[in-house]
Amino acid sequence: MKKFSFPDSVTFAEKPSQFAECWFDDACILDMDYFVKTIAGIKEKGVRPDLIGSIIAHYASKWLPDLSNDDSKMGLTNFEESTESVTASWMKKRFFVETLVGILPPEKDSLPCNFLLRLLRIANMVNVELTFREELEKRISWQLDQASLKEILIPSFSHTCGTLLDVELVSRLVKRFINLDSEGAKSGAALVKVAKLVDCFLVEAAMDSNLSLSEFVELASVLPSHARATDDGLYRAIDTYLKAHPGVPKQERKLLCRLIDSRKLSPEASLHAAQNERLPVRAVIQVIFSEQSKLNKQLEWSGSFSGTRSPLIGLDPPGARCLSKREVNSQQMEIKKLREDVLRLQSQCNSMQAQLEKLMDKRKGFFRWKKLGIMPSSKMTTLSAVEESEREGDAMYGRQTPAVDMKTRLVKSGRNPPKSRKSMS
Protein backbone atom coordinates (compact mmCIF):
# COMPACT_ATOMS: atom_id res chain seq x y z
CA MET A 1 0.00 0.00 0.00
CA LYS A 2 1.31 3.43 -0.94
CA LYS A 3 1.78 5.74 2.02
CA PHE A 4 0.78 9.37 1.57
CA SER A 5 1.29 12.17 4.08
CA PHE A 6 -0.73 15.34 3.82
CA PRO A 7 1.66 18.13 2.75
CA ASP A 8 2.12 21.12 5.07
CA SER A 9 2.75 23.55 2.24
CA VAL A 10 -0.53 22.93 0.43
CA THR A 11 -2.81 25.89 -0.05
CA PHE A 12 -6.56 25.56 0.39
CA ALA A 13 -7.62 28.57 -1.69
CA GLU A 14 -8.57 26.26 -4.54
CA LYS A 15 -12.10 25.06 -5.17
CA PRO A 16 -13.02 22.02 -3.05
CA SER A 17 -13.70 19.73 -6.02
CA GLN A 18 -10.50 20.71 -7.83
CA PHE A 19 -8.45 20.20 -4.68
CA ALA A 20 -9.96 16.76 -4.01
CA GLU A 21 -9.44 15.53 -7.57
CA CYS A 22 -5.84 16.80 -7.63
CA TRP A 23 -5.05 15.15 -4.32
CA PHE A 24 -6.56 11.75 -5.24
CA ASP A 25 -4.88 11.70 -8.61
CA ASP A 26 -1.54 11.76 -6.79
CA ALA A 27 -2.44 9.51 -3.88
CA CYS A 28 -4.54 6.41 -4.36
CA ILE A 29 -5.56 5.27 -0.88
CA LEU A 30 -6.63 1.68 -1.13
CA ASP A 31 -7.08 0.97 2.57
CA MET A 32 -10.21 2.33 4.23
CA ASP A 33 -8.65 2.49 7.70
CA TYR A 34 -5.75 4.54 6.40
CA PHE A 35 -8.21 6.91 4.69
CA VAL A 36 -10.01 7.44 8.00
CA LYS A 37 -6.69 8.26 9.71
CA THR A 38 -5.82 10.66 6.89
CA ILE A 39 -9.14 12.50 7.25
CA ALA A 40 -8.57 12.75 11.00
CA GLY A 41 -5.16 14.31 10.35
CA ILE A 42 -6.70 16.79 7.93
CA LYS A 43 -9.29 17.81 10.52
CA GLU A 44 -6.56 18.43 13.11
CA LYS A 45 -4.87 20.87 10.74
CA GLY A 46 -8.00 23.03 10.74
CA VAL A 47 -9.08 22.51 7.16
CA ARG A 48 -12.44 23.96 6.20
CA PRO A 49 -15.40 21.53 6.52
CA ASP A 50 -16.45 22.01 2.88
CA LEU A 51 -12.98 20.89 1.73
CA ILE A 52 -13.16 17.81 3.93
CA GLY A 53 -16.64 17.08 2.59
CA SER A 54 -15.42 17.36 -1.02
CA ILE A 55 -12.57 14.92 -0.26
CA ILE A 56 -15.01 12.38 1.22
CA ALA A 57 -17.46 12.78 -1.69
CA HIS A 58 -14.71 12.34 -4.29
CA TYR A 59 -13.28 9.30 -2.50
CA ALA A 60 -16.75 7.71 -2.20
CA SER A 61 -17.53 8.25 -5.88
CA LYS A 62 -14.20 6.61 -6.80
CA TRP A 63 -14.87 3.46 -4.82
CA LEU A 64 -18.66 3.33 -5.03
CA PRO A 65 -19.94 4.26 -8.50
CA ASP A 66 -23.54 4.36 -7.20
CA LEU A 67 -22.68 7.64 -5.45
CA SER A 68 -21.53 9.36 -8.64
CA ASN A 69 -23.70 11.82 -10.54
CA ASP A 70 -22.44 10.47 -13.83
CA ASP A 71 -23.89 7.05 -14.56
CA SER A 72 -21.18 6.33 -17.12
CA LYS A 73 -18.39 7.05 -14.62
CA MET A 74 -16.79 3.84 -13.32
CA GLY A 75 -14.88 3.59 -10.08
CA LEU A 76 -11.53 2.00 -9.41
CA THR A 77 -13.23 -1.05 -7.99
CA ASN A 78 -16.74 -2.20 -8.70
CA PHE A 79 -18.23 -4.38 -6.02
CA GLU A 80 -20.75 -5.87 -8.43
CA GLU A 81 -18.04 -7.06 -10.85
CA SER A 82 -15.88 -8.72 -8.18
CA THR A 83 -15.56 -12.49 -7.95
CA GLU A 84 -16.90 -12.50 -4.40
CA SER A 85 -20.40 -13.57 -3.55
CA VAL A 86 -23.30 -11.13 -3.49
CA THR A 87 -23.48 -11.34 0.31
CA ALA A 88 -19.80 -10.45 0.69
CA SER A 89 -20.20 -7.56 -1.73
CA TRP A 90 -23.17 -6.20 0.22
CA MET A 91 -21.23 -6.56 3.49
CA LYS A 92 -18.41 -4.46 2.01
CA LYS A 93 -20.86 -1.82 0.86
CA ARG A 94 -22.44 -1.70 4.30
CA PHE A 95 -19.04 -1.28 5.99
CA PHE A 96 -18.06 1.38 3.44
CA VAL A 97 -21.24 3.43 3.98
CA GLU A 98 -21.11 3.18 7.77
CA THR A 99 -17.46 4.27 7.75
CA LEU A 100 -18.22 7.27 5.54
CA VAL A 101 -21.13 8.37 7.77
CA GLY A 102 -18.87 8.09 10.81
CA ILE A 103 -16.25 10.52 9.43
CA LEU A 104 -18.60 13.17 8.00
CA PRO A 105 -17.88 16.70 9.25
CA PRO A 106 -20.38 17.77 11.92
CA GLU A 107 -20.92 21.19 10.36
CA LYS A 108 -24.00 21.88 8.26
CA ASP A 109 -23.74 22.24 4.46
CA SER A 110 -20.34 20.56 4.42
CA LEU A 111 -21.66 18.05 1.84
CA PRO A 112 -24.22 18.51 -0.96
CA CYS A 113 -27.73 17.34 -0.16
CA ASN A 114 -27.98 15.23 -3.32
CA PHE A 115 -24.82 13.30 -2.35
CA LEU A 116 -26.29 12.58 1.07
CA LEU A 117 -29.53 11.37 -0.54
CA ARG A 118 -27.62 8.96 -2.78
CA LEU A 119 -25.70 7.75 0.26
CA LEU A 120 -29.01 7.21 2.10
CA ARG A 121 -30.37 5.26 -0.87
CA ILE A 122 -27.44 2.83 -0.68
CA ALA A 123 -27.69 2.71 3.11
CA ASN A 124 -31.31 1.60 2.87
CA MET A 125 -30.45 -0.88 0.14
CA VAL A 126 -27.71 -2.64 2.14
CA ASN A 127 -29.64 -2.21 5.41
CA VAL A 128 -27.06 -0.34 7.50
CA GLU A 129 -27.53 0.19 11.21
CA LEU A 130 -30.43 2.40 12.31
CA THR A 131 -28.16 4.96 14.00
CA PHE A 132 -26.30 5.66 10.74
CA ARG A 133 -29.53 6.02 8.79
CA GLU A 134 -30.93 8.44 11.38
CA GLU A 135 -27.72 10.47 11.18
CA LEU A 136 -28.06 10.72 7.40
CA GLU A 137 -31.75 11.69 7.65
CA LYS A 138 -30.90 14.41 10.17
CA ARG A 139 -28.21 15.86 7.90
CA ILE A 140 -30.50 15.75 4.86
CA SER A 141 -33.29 17.51 6.74
CA TRP A 142 -30.91 20.42 7.44
CA GLN A 143 -30.69 21.19 3.74
CA LEU A 144 -33.79 19.56 2.27
CA ASP A 145 -34.55 22.75 0.31
CA GLN A 146 -31.44 21.98 -1.82
CA ALA A 147 -32.65 18.52 -2.84
CA SER A 148 -33.83 17.61 -6.33
CA LEU A 149 -36.78 15.43 -7.29
CA LYS A 150 -34.56 12.83 -8.97
CA GLU A 151 -32.58 12.17 -5.80
CA ILE A 152 -35.58 12.11 -3.48
CA LEU A 153 -37.29 9.33 -5.44
CA ILE A 154 -35.78 6.64 -3.24
CA PRO A 155 -37.16 3.12 -3.77
CA SER A 156 -38.66 1.26 -0.87
CA PHE A 157 -36.41 -1.66 0.08
CA SER A 158 -38.62 -2.80 2.94
CA HIS A 159 -40.63 -5.99 2.47
CA THR A 160 -43.45 -4.65 4.62
CA CYS A 161 -44.04 -1.62 2.39
CA GLY A 162 -46.24 -2.14 -0.64
CA THR A 163 -45.32 1.02 -2.54
CA LEU A 164 -42.46 1.42 -4.98
CA LEU A 165 -41.26 4.70 -3.47
CA ASP A 166 -40.37 5.16 0.17
CA VAL A 167 -43.14 7.60 1.12
CA GLU A 168 -42.57 7.15 4.85
CA LEU A 169 -38.94 8.24 4.46
CA VAL A 170 -39.91 11.45 2.70
CA SER A 171 -42.53 12.13 5.39
CA ARG A 172 -39.88 11.79 8.10
CA LEU A 173 -37.51 14.14 6.25
CA VAL A 174 -40.20 16.79 5.78
CA LYS A 175 -41.28 16.55 9.43
CA ARG A 176 -37.68 17.03 10.58
CA PHE A 177 -37.38 20.02 8.27
CA ILE A 178 -40.62 21.54 9.62
CA ASN A 179 -39.33 21.18 13.17
CA LEU A 180 -36.18 23.04 12.18
CA ASP A 181 -38.28 25.73 10.50
CA SER A 182 -40.39 26.21 13.63
CA GLU A 183 -37.17 27.03 15.49
CA GLY A 184 -36.37 29.79 12.98
CA ALA A 185 -33.50 27.90 11.36
CA LYS A 186 -34.93 28.16 7.84
CA SER A 187 -36.26 31.05 5.80
CA GLY A 188 -39.62 31.31 4.08
CA ALA A 189 -38.04 30.76 0.65
CA ALA A 190 -36.63 27.40 1.79
CA LEU A 191 -40.08 26.34 3.01
CA VAL A 192 -41.62 27.23 -0.36
CA LYS A 193 -38.97 25.13 -2.16
CA VAL A 194 -39.69 22.14 0.08
CA ALA A 195 -43.43 22.53 -0.57
CA LYS A 196 -42.85 22.43 -4.34
CA LEU A 197 -40.59 19.39 -3.91
CA VAL A 198 -43.25 17.58 -1.86
CA ASP A 199 -45.97 18.33 -4.43
CA CYS A 200 -43.80 16.98 -7.26
CA PHE A 201 -43.03 13.86 -5.20
CA LEU A 202 -46.75 13.37 -4.51
CA VAL A 203 -47.48 13.45 -8.25
CA GLU A 204 -44.95 10.64 -8.80
CA ALA A 205 -46.08 8.62 -5.79
CA ALA A 206 -49.81 9.04 -6.59
CA MET A 207 -49.44 6.94 -9.76
CA ASP A 208 -48.74 3.90 -7.57
CA SER A 209 -51.99 1.98 -7.13
CA ASN A 210 -50.69 0.55 -3.83
CA LEU A 211 -50.37 3.97 -2.19
CA SER A 212 -52.95 4.23 0.56
CA LEU A 213 -55.06 7.31 1.18
CA SER A 214 -53.68 7.76 4.70
CA GLU A 215 -50.08 7.89 3.44
CA PHE A 216 -51.00 10.42 0.76
CA VAL A 217 -52.93 12.64 3.17
CA GLU A 218 -50.20 12.45 5.83
CA LEU A 219 -47.49 13.67 3.44
CA ALA A 220 -49.71 16.30 1.81
CA SER A 221 -50.87 17.80 5.12
CA VAL A 222 -47.51 17.77 6.92
CA LEU A 223 -46.69 21.21 5.52
CA PRO A 224 -48.34 24.34 7.00
CA SER A 225 -50.86 26.27 4.92
CA HIS A 226 -48.53 29.25 4.35
CA ALA A 227 -45.84 27.03 2.80
CA ARG A 228 -47.66 26.84 -0.54
CA ALA A 229 -47.96 30.08 -2.46
CA THR A 230 -50.28 28.26 -4.87
CA ASP A 231 -52.10 24.94 -4.61
CA ASP A 232 -51.75 24.01 -8.28
CA GLY A 233 -49.15 21.32 -7.55
CA LEU A 234 -51.25 19.80 -4.78
CA TYR A 235 -54.35 19.81 -7.03
CA ARG A 236 -52.37 18.03 -9.74
CA ALA A 237 -51.23 15.39 -7.24
CA ILE A 238 -54.80 14.82 -6.01
CA ASP A 239 -56.11 14.59 -9.56
CA THR A 240 -53.37 12.06 -10.38
CA TYR A 241 -54.27 10.02 -7.32
CA LEU A 242 -57.96 9.96 -8.31
CA LYS A 243 -57.00 8.82 -11.82
CA ALA A 244 -54.88 5.95 -10.47
CA HIS A 245 -57.52 5.03 -7.87
CA PRO A 246 -60.88 5.21 -9.65
CA GLY A 247 -62.66 3.28 -6.89
CA VAL A 248 -62.11 5.91 -4.16
CA PRO A 249 -65.38 6.41 -2.22
CA LYS A 250 -67.16 9.75 -2.14
CA GLN A 251 -66.24 10.51 1.49
CA GLU A 252 -62.55 9.92 0.81
CA ARG A 253 -62.73 12.21 -2.22
CA LYS A 254 -64.16 14.92 -0.01
CA LEU A 255 -61.28 14.35 2.43
CA LEU A 256 -58.76 14.82 -0.37
CA CYS A 257 -60.44 17.96 -1.67
CA ARG A 258 -60.38 19.54 1.79
CA LEU A 259 -56.61 19.71 1.43
CA ILE A 260 -56.97 22.23 -1.43
CA ASP A 261 -57.55 25.92 -0.79
CA SER A 262 -59.63 27.01 -3.79
CA ARG A 263 -58.57 30.64 -3.26
CA LYS A 264 -54.95 29.67 -4.02
CA LEU A 265 -55.66 28.04 -7.40
CA SER A 266 -54.61 29.75 -10.61
CA PRO A 267 -57.28 30.55 -13.25
CA GLU A 268 -56.06 27.61 -15.37
CA ALA A 269 -56.28 25.15 -12.47
CA SER A 270 -59.69 26.53 -11.45
CA LEU A 271 -61.00 26.05 -14.99
CA HIS A 272 -59.73 22.46 -15.02
CA ALA A 273 -61.25 21.77 -11.59
CA ALA A 274 -64.62 23.20 -12.62
CA GLN A 275 -64.77 20.65 -15.47
CA ASN A 276 -63.25 17.75 -13.52
CA GLU A 277 -65.78 14.94 -13.12
CA ARG A 278 -63.59 13.14 -10.57
CA LEU A 279 -64.07 15.88 -7.96
CA PRO A 280 -67.14 16.01 -5.69
CA VAL A 281 -69.86 18.50 -6.59
CA ARG A 282 -69.26 20.51 -3.42
CA ALA A 283 -65.58 20.99 -4.29
CA VAL A 284 -66.47 22.16 -7.81
CA ILE A 285 -68.98 24.68 -6.41
CA GLN A 286 -66.36 26.03 -4.02
CA VAL A 287 -63.91 26.54 -6.89
CA ILE A 288 -66.52 28.37 -8.99
CA PHE A 289 -67.57 30.55 -6.05
CA SER A 290 -63.94 31.39 -5.30
CA GLU A 291 -63.29 32.46 -8.90
CA GLN A 292 -66.43 34.62 -8.84
CA SER A 293 -65.23 36.29 -5.65
CA LYS A 294 -61.83 37.00 -7.22
CA LEU A 295 -63.50 38.54 -10.26
CA ASN A 296 -65.75 40.76 -8.12
CA LYS A 297 -62.78 41.89 -6.09
CA GLN A 298 -60.83 42.86 -9.20
CA LEU A 299 -63.82 44.80 -10.56
CA GLU A 300 -64.23 46.66 -7.28
CA TRP A 301 -60.53 47.39 -7.17
CA SER A 302 -60.52 48.78 -10.70
CA GLY A 303 -63.67 50.78 -9.97
CA SER A 304 -61.91 52.63 -7.16
CA PHE A 305 -60.26 54.95 -9.71
CA SER A 306 -63.63 56.27 -10.84
CA GLY A 307 -64.63 57.21 -7.29
CA THR A 308 -67.38 54.57 -6.94
CA ARG A 309 -65.61 52.45 -4.39
CA SER A 310 -66.61 52.33 -0.75
CA PRO A 311 -63.93 52.82 1.96
CA LEU A 312 -64.23 49.24 3.18
CA ILE A 313 -63.73 47.54 -0.15
CA GLY A 314 -59.97 48.10 -0.12
CA LEU A 315 -59.47 45.71 2.78
CA ASP A 316 -58.17 42.36 1.56
CA PRO A 317 -59.94 39.33 3.00
CA PRO A 318 -57.80 37.13 5.25
CA GLY A 319 -56.04 34.32 3.45
CA ALA A 320 -56.35 35.87 -0.01
CA ARG A 321 -53.72 34.63 -2.41
CA CYS A 322 -51.03 36.88 -3.84
CA LEU A 323 -51.57 38.01 -7.40
CA SER A 324 -49.33 36.52 -10.04
CA LYS A 325 -46.98 38.62 -12.11
CA ARG A 326 -49.22 38.35 -15.16
CA GLU A 327 -52.27 39.54 -13.21
CA VAL A 328 -50.34 42.45 -11.74
CA ASN A 329 -49.15 43.50 -15.21
CA SER A 330 -52.68 43.36 -16.63
CA GLN A 331 -54.03 45.44 -13.75
CA GLN A 332 -51.27 48.00 -14.23
CA MET A 333 -52.21 48.27 -17.90
CA GLU A 334 -55.85 48.86 -16.93
CA ILE A 335 -54.79 51.59 -14.49
CA LYS A 336 -52.68 53.23 -17.20
CA LYS A 337 -55.63 53.22 -19.62
CA LEU A 338 -57.91 54.72 -16.98
CA ARG A 339 -55.41 57.50 -16.33
CA GLU A 340 -55.16 58.26 -20.05
CA ASP A 341 -58.96 58.42 -20.31
CA VAL A 342 -59.12 60.83 -17.36
CA LEU A 343 -56.48 63.11 -18.91
CA ARG A 344 -58.28 63.08 -22.27
CA LEU A 345 -61.61 63.97 -20.66
CA GLN A 346 -59.97 66.73 -18.65
CA SER A 347 -58.44 68.31 -21.79
CA GLN A 348 -61.79 68.14 -23.58
CA CYS A 349 -63.48 69.79 -20.61
CA ASN A 350 -60.90 72.61 -20.61
CA SER A 351 -61.39 73.26 -24.34
CA MET A 352 -65.19 73.35 -23.96
CA GLN A 353 -64.86 75.79 -21.07
CA ALA A 354 -62.64 78.10 -23.18
CA GLN A 355 -65.17 78.05 -26.03
CA LEU A 356 -67.96 78.87 -23.60
CA GLU A 357 -66.03 81.86 -22.28
CA LYS A 358 -65.51 83.17 -25.83
CA LEU A 359 -69.24 82.93 -26.51
CA MET A 360 -70.03 84.82 -23.31
CA ASP A 361 -67.57 87.57 -24.26
CA LYS A 362 -69.16 87.99 -27.70
CA ARG A 363 -72.58 88.51 -26.14
CA LYS A 364 -71.39 91.56 -24.23
CA GLY A 365 -72.16 94.90 -25.97
CA PHE A 366 -68.81 96.48 -25.22
CA PHE A 367 -66.96 93.89 -27.25
CA ARG A 368 -69.46 94.20 -30.13
CA TRP A 369 -68.80 97.94 -30.50
CA LYS A 370 -65.08 97.44 -30.11
CA LYS A 371 -65.09 94.93 -32.91
CA LEU A 372 -66.70 97.53 -35.25
CA GLY A 373 -64.09 100.16 -34.33
CA ILE A 374 -66.64 102.49 -32.66
CA MET A 375 -66.19 103.41 -29.06
CA PRO A 376 -69.62 103.84 -27.45
CA SER A 377 -70.37 107.09 -25.64
CA SER A 378 -71.28 107.29 -22.02
CA LYS A 379 -74.89 107.90 -22.92
CA MET A 380 -75.09 104.85 -25.13
CA THR A 381 -73.36 102.82 -22.49
CA THR A 382 -75.89 104.00 -19.95
CA LEU A 383 -78.78 103.19 -22.27
CA SER A 384 -77.39 99.74 -22.91
CA ALA A 385 -77.09 99.18 -19.20
CA VAL A 386 -80.64 100.37 -18.68
CA GLU A 387 -81.91 98.11 -21.44
CA GLU A 388 -80.10 95.13 -20.00
CA SER A 389 -81.38 95.78 -16.51
CA GLU A 390 -84.91 96.27 -17.76
CA ARG A 391 -84.77 93.09 -19.78
CA GLU A 392 -83.64 91.23 -16.71
CA GLY A 393 -86.35 92.82 -14.65
CA ASP A 394 -89.00 92.02 -17.24
CA ALA A 395 -87.86 88.46 -17.41
CA MET A 396 -88.09 88.10 -13.64
CA TYR A 397 -91.17 90.12 -12.73
CA GLY A 398 -92.90 90.98 -16.00
CA ARG A 399 -94.07 94.49 -17.12
CA GLN A 400 -94.78 96.85 -14.22
CA THR A 401 -96.90 99.76 -15.58
CA PRO A 402 -97.70 101.38 -18.92
CA ALA A 403 -95.79 104.49 -17.85
CA VAL A 404 -92.63 102.53 -17.60
CA ASP A 405 -93.21 101.16 -21.13
CA MET A 406 -93.77 104.65 -22.50
CA LYS A 407 -90.59 105.94 -20.86
CA THR A 408 -88.62 103.09 -22.28
CA ARG A 409 -89.93 103.70 -25.81
CA LEU A 410 -89.07 107.40 -25.62
CA VAL A 411 -85.57 106.65 -24.47
CA LYS A 412 -85.09 104.21 -27.36
CA SER A 413 -86.33 106.82 -29.90
CA GLY A 414 -83.99 109.49 -28.56
CA ARG A 415 -86.70 111.82 -27.20
CA ASN A 416 -87.04 112.97 -23.65
CA PRO A 417 -90.26 112.33 -21.82
CA PRO A 418 -92.48 115.38 -21.25
CA LYS A 419 -91.84 117.17 -18.00
CA SER A 420 -94.66 117.68 -15.62
CA ARG A 421 -96.13 121.21 -15.52
CA LYS A 422 -95.21 123.25 -12.51
CA SER A 423 -98.00 124.48 -10.37
CA MET A 424 -98.64 128.24 -10.57
CA SER A 425 -99.80 128.39 -7.10
Side-chain angles (χ1 to χ4, degrees):
M1 180 181 66
K2 181 180 178 180
K3 297 281 184 178
F4 181 80
S5 59
F6 193 76
D8 296 331
S9 60
V10 70
T11 59
F12 300 105
E14 307 174 60
K15 292 183 178 180
S17 59
Q18 294 178 353
F19 168 72
E21 292 176 3
C22 177
W23 184 50
F24 277 102
D25 288 340
D26 295 335
C28 180
I29 301 179
L30 302 177
D31 187 70
M32 191 69 182
D33 294 334
Y34 185 71
F35 175 75
V36 173
K37 294 178 182 179
T38 305
I39 293 296
I42 295 174
K43 289 180 180 179
E44 291 177 359
K45 289 182 176 291
V47 180
R48 295 202 319 261
D50 57 339
L51 286 173
I52 299 175
S54 65
I55 293 172
I56 295 175
H58 187 75
Y59 179 80
S61 63
K62 284 281 186 178
W63 290 96
L64 198 62
D66 297 338
L67 294 174
S68 177
N69 271 327
D70 190 2
D71 296 335
S72 61
K73 185 177 180 180
M74 300 301 295
L76 299 177
T77 303
N78 194 345
F79 292 119
E80 300 295 341
E81 295 178 355
S82 61
T83 56
E84 299 174 341
S85 62
V86 177
T87 304
S89 176
W90 278 50
M91 291 293 292
K92 282 187 176 182
K93 282 188 177 182
R94 180 187 300 177
F95 172 74
F96 189 84
V97 172
E98 291 177 352
T99 304
L100 285 181
V101 175
I103 62 175
L104 292 178
E107 292 79 8
K108 297 179 181 179
D109 299 330
S110 57
L111 281 161
C113 183
N114 289 334
F115 173 80
L116 294 175
L117 283 169
R118 291 194 297 270
L119 192 62
L120 180 61
R121 180 198 299 261
I122 299 176
N124 290 342
M125 182 176 62
V126 297
N127 196 18
V128 300
E129 294 292 333
L130 181 60
T131 55
F132 295 103
R133 279 184 287 174
E134 290 180 349
E135 178 66 20
L136 281 176
E137 291 180 9
K138 182 181 71 174
R139 288 177 173 273
I140 292 170
S141 63
W142 289 346
Q143 43 193 346
L144 187 61
D145 56 301
Q146 305 173 11
S148 62
L149 177 62
K150 177 183 176 182
E151 304 301 340
I152 208 173
L153 296 176
I154 300 176
S156 177
F157 298 101
S158 176
H159 297 289
T160 59
C161 184
T163 57
L164 297 176
L165 298 176
D166 200 339
V167 181
E168 296 180 358
L169 171 62
V170 178
S171 297
R172 290 198 303 269
L173 294 176
V174 177
K175 288 178 181 178
R176 285 178 179 268
F177 179 85
I178 296 300
N179 292 333
L180 290 174
D181 184 71
S182 62
E183 299 172 2
K186 291 294 181 180
S187 62
L191 188 62
V192 171
K193 290 181 181 178
V194 172
K196 291 181 179 179
L197 183 66
V198 170
D199 291 343
C200 294
F201 178 82
L202 283 172
V203 172
E204 299 293 332
M207 292 185 287
D208 191 350
S209 58
N210 294 326
L211 180 65
S212 64
L213 181 68
S214 59
E215 292 176 331
F216 184 92
V217 172
E218 181 183 2
L219 181 55
S221 59
V222 70
L223 291 167
S225 58
H226 64 273
R228 293 182 174 93
T230 174
D231 279 5
D232 288 5
L234 181 59
Y235 167 72
R236 182 187 173 194
I238 291 176
D239 185 51
T240 305
Y241 184 85
L242 293 177
K243 284 182 183 178
H245 303 77
V248 177
K250 183 178 180 180
Q251 295 298 328
E252 294 183 355
R253 291 185 184 182
K254 290 182 179 180
L255 178 62
L256 284 174
C257 292
R258 289 195 192 103
L259 300 174
I260 304 174
D261 188 354
S262 57
R263 297 172 298 179
K264 296 167 66 174
L265 290 177
S266 65
E268 294 79 7
S270 299
L271 179 61
H272 188 277
Q275 302 174 354
N276 196 344
E277 297 179 354
R278 289 178 290 273
L279 299 182
V281 178
R282 184 179 181 86
V284 174
I285 293 175
Q286 287 180 350
V287 171
I288 297 175
F289 179 76
S290 177
E291 281 300 308
Q292 184 68 27
S293 300
K294 293 178 195 175
L295 182 60
N296 293 336
K297 181 184 175 182
Q298 291 180 358
L299 291 176
E300 292 170 353
W301 182 79
S302 60
S304 63
F305 293 94
S306 60
T308 60
R309 182 182 177 185
S310 65
L312 299 178
I313 292 177
L315 301 176
D316 293 334
R321 71 178 183 90
C322 297
L323 296 177
S324 63
K325 187 176 181 180
R326 183 178 60 183
E327 292 174 343
V328 171
N329 292 335
S330 64
Q331 290 179 356
Q332 289 178 353
M333 291 297 296
E334 291 179 1
I335 295 172
K336 186 177 179 181
K337 291 179 180 179
L338 288 173
R339 288 177 178 174
E340 292 176 355
D341 293 341
V342 170
L343 292 176
R344 186 173 64 255
L345 291 174
Q346 187 176 2
S347 62
Q348 292 178 359
C349 182
N350 293 335
S351 62
M352 291 175 64
Q353 186 176 1
Q355 293 177 4
L356 184 60
E357 290 177 356
K358 290 181 180 179
L359 292 175
M360 294 297 294
D361 292 340
K362 288 181 181 180
R363 291 183 61 183
K364 293 182 180 180
F366 176 79
F367 292 99
R368 288 202 301 269
W369 287 105
K370 189 176 180 180
K371 185 175 181 181
L372 296 173
I374 304 174
M375 295 299 294
S377 62
S378 60
K379 184 177 180 180
M380 294 298 295
T381 305
T382 305
L383 289 175
S384 300
V386 171
E387 290 176 5
E388 185 175 358
S389 62
E390 288 179 353
R391 283 196 301 269
E392 292 177 355
D394 294 341
M396 294 178 62
Y397 305 104
R399 298 286 182 179
Q400 298 293 331
T401 59
V404 176
D405 290 343
M406 178 62 71
K407 184 179 179 179
T408 303
R409 287 196 295 271
L410 290 174
V411 170
K412 290 182 179 180
S413 61
R415 293 181 295 175
N416 294 328
K419 297 182 179 180
S420 62
R421 184 177 297 177
K422 296 182 179 180
S423 175
M424 298 301 293
S425 59

